[in-house]
Amino acid sequence: MSDFCQIQDWKLFSGSIRPWVIAGPCSVENRESLISEAFSLKKAGVRVLRGGLWKPRTHPGCFEGVGETGAQWLREAGAAADMHTATEVANARHVEIVLKNGIDAVWIGARTTGNPFLVQEIAEALRGTDTPVFVKNPMVPDPELWSGAIERFARCGLDCICAVHRGFHFYGENLYRNPPFWQIPVELRRRFPGLPLFCDPSHITGRRDLVEDIARQALILGFDGLMIEVHPDPDRALSDAAQQITPEDLAGILGRLKIRKTSTQDAEAAAAIDDLRTGIDRIDAALIDLLAQRMDISASIGLIKERSGMTVLQADRWNNVLERARAMAKEKDLDEDFITEIFTTIHRASMERQLKK
Ligand code: PEP
Ligand code: MN
């Protein structure tokens, strides 16, 4: 599936330049502040206004959005500031309201992407329209669920599809509200190279002071655009107060962000990269060769263990291997967690080889 419509051809972003930006409040709260915010965002260079009408909240009793009433406000704010509009839909009834009120684009929230029944229902409700669909990643770091949702929209004939990386649920201490686990959007891009990809640094960080850094990292990686939560008075926002920034903050951030291209016209730079890549390719070949040798030795050890009735797992030995690898990594200034991850994988494969008859 490679025939996704390129974002520069989307009507939604006509007249704007990279990075393509969708910005606006987490939740639509009232008509007046939304209209005045739309003008501030337009001034900051934003062409697509976002606002959540139905908010999926973890606990009941929290503000759950103004619902259908706000759809008209969103449309009015867009028309007043000459911007396009987007909101979240989580079922077919939401889609019906969005279409009836002339809202231009929809996004699928993280909690919905993980539910194939709802994704299918929404995709069918959108069939036959040219509504742009932004598909946030599911809460769990699973590229299958994310790509499955994208395929459902594509199969219903929608061409303007964009993936939005908003980080993943993580149980435990973390700097981020939803850590980015960049390898997941990277895997999505490997599967669908032509699929536009946005980053939502607001939901990744959960903290306004970190939004710019994640936005910068996303653009350096090659993301096409950003979805950012902006509120005129963030501390008083009815949802996601800690992560929203002001329109002025956004203008500052957009002014500082730099865009990179996927390739270079500079022949000297291109040649230098090619040269260095030859070195990488040589090392990769040597690594594979060494790993094959290591696995052969491991298989021989496995046979001896079997003959002499020893268990495959030798916890002390494994501990020593890991400790030694971590110490060597430290000496070479390599990240110890990175090396732990690699050795854990190698050790798993090695045990699997010894378990095979
Ligand atoms: C949102 O964009 O306001 C939202 C609820 O996003 P997510 O589904 O990423 O949590
Ligand atoms: Mn939000």
Side-chain angles (χ1 to χ4, degrees):
M1 205 182 304
S2 57
D3 42 358
F4 295 105
C5 184
Q6 289 307 287
I7 205 124
Q8 54 270 26
D9 301 328
W10 291 25
K11 274 198 299 238
L12 195 73
F13 291 104
S14 64
S16 69
I17 49 164
R18 273 190 78 202
W20 289 286
V21 179
I22 300 177
C26 175
S27 306
V28 167
E29 295 176 4
N30 66 69
R31 181 178 171 274
E32 288 65 35
S33 76
L34 188 67
I35 294 177
S36 103
E37 183 178 345
F39 281 101
S40 316
L41 288 168
K42 180 81 188 281
K43 207 166 116 205
V46 178
R47 294 289 173 274
V48 183
L49 173 69
R50 65 153 276 159
L53 300 173
W54 301 279
K55 301 306 299 178
R57 305 306 299 272
T58 304
H59 294 285
C62 295
F63 173 66
E64 288 185 326
V66 293
E68 183 166 0
T69 325
Q72 204 45 42
W73 303 342
L74 192 54
R75 187 198 162 99
E76 274 182 71
D82 188 25
M83 294 170 86
H84 285 125
T85 51
T87 198
E88 175 172 340
V89 290
N91 57 43
R93 191 180 68 86
H94 294 166
V95 173
E96 198 186 304
I97 294 168
V98 159
L99 296 176
K100 193 174 79 191
N101 283 278
I103 291 167
D104 302 298
V106 297
W107 78 81
I108 311 304
R111 295 154 191 81
T112 307
T113 305
N115 184 331
F117 288 138
L118 288 175
V119 172
Q120 190 63 32
E121 164 181 326
I122 295 166
E124 269 156 29
L126 287 169
R127 192 196 285 277
T129 73
D130 57 0
T131 312
V133 187
F134 293 85
V135 185
K136 295 215 185 186
N137 61 259
M139 303 293 276
V140 289
D142 176 8
E144 300 302 332
L145 262 180
W146 199 3
S147 38
I150 288 159
E151 284 159 10
R152 286 180 196 277
F153 289 105
R155 283 187 183 205
C156 280
L158 294 145
D159 302 319
C160 293
I161 305 174
C162 174
V164 182
H165 172 225
R166 50 80 74 202
F168 299 91
H169 176 71
F170 181 80
Y171 182 69
E173 283 286 303
N174 199 281
L175 174 62
Y176 300 111
R177 178 180 178 195
N178 293 289
F181 303 152
W182 295 105
Q183 69 275 21
I184 307 283
V186 166
E187 168 60 15
L188 195 79
R189 176 141 280 184
R190 191 187 65 76
R191 292 181 185 201
F192 304 126
L195 178 72
L197 182 59
F198 273 36
C199 178
D200 168 352
S202 309
H203 289 89
I204 289 178
T205 60
R207 295 172 40 167
R208 70 181 65 108
D209 61 322
L210 300 176
V211 165
E212 177 166 0
D213 191 47
I214 290 291
R216 189 184 56 77
Q217 291 186 39
L219 294 185
I220 290 179
L221 275 169
F223 281 64
D224 303 287
L226 301 165
M227 181 189 275
I228 301 188
E229 287 192 342
V230 181
H231 190 281
D233 188 358
D235 283 330
R236 288 181 199 234
L238 299 179
S239 57
D240 287 351
Q243 71 197 30
Q244 301 207 58
I245 59 174
T246 64
E248 295 70 35
D249 293 336
L250 180 71
I253 291 175
L254 294 179
R256 287 185 292 274
L257 288 175
K258 294 201 175 57
I259 297 296
R260 294 194 183 186
K261 303 178 293 305
T262 49
S263 58
T264 176
Q265 303 292 342
D266 177 344
E268 214 174 292
I273 288 181
D274 273 355
D275 240 25
L276 291 165
R277 282 183 174 160
T278 311
I280 294 258
D281 292 349
R282 214 176 29 240
I283 291 174
D284 286 350
L287 279 175
I288 300 285
D289 198 48
L290 284 173
L291 285 171
Q293 289 180 41
R294 194 187 192 285
M295 287 301 256
D296 285 346
I297 296 179
S298 168
S300 306
I301 293 178
L303 287 176
I304 300 173
K305 282 179 181 166
E306 192 190 346
R307 276 203 300 273
S308 52
M310 276 171 81
T311 57
V312 164
L313 176 60
Q314 298 279 321
D316 286 347
R317 165 68 183 162
W318 165 226
N319 246 322
N320 289 340
V321 167
L322 191 58
E323 283 313 313
R324 204 163 29 107
R326 285 179 66 94
M328 288 190 288
K330 198 167 175 188
E331 236 168 71
K332 300 260 182 211
D333 225 11
L334 285 167
D335 184 81
E336 288 169 69
D337 291 342
F338 160 58
I339 293 301
T340 300
E341 217 174 289
I342 289 181
F343 272 79
T344 305
T345 306
I346 292 176
H347 183 246
R348 196 193 60 215
S350 179
M351 282 192 307
E352 277 165 11
R353 172 71 68 97
Q354 296 186 6
L355 289 172
K356 274 199 201 127
K357 267 271 172 196

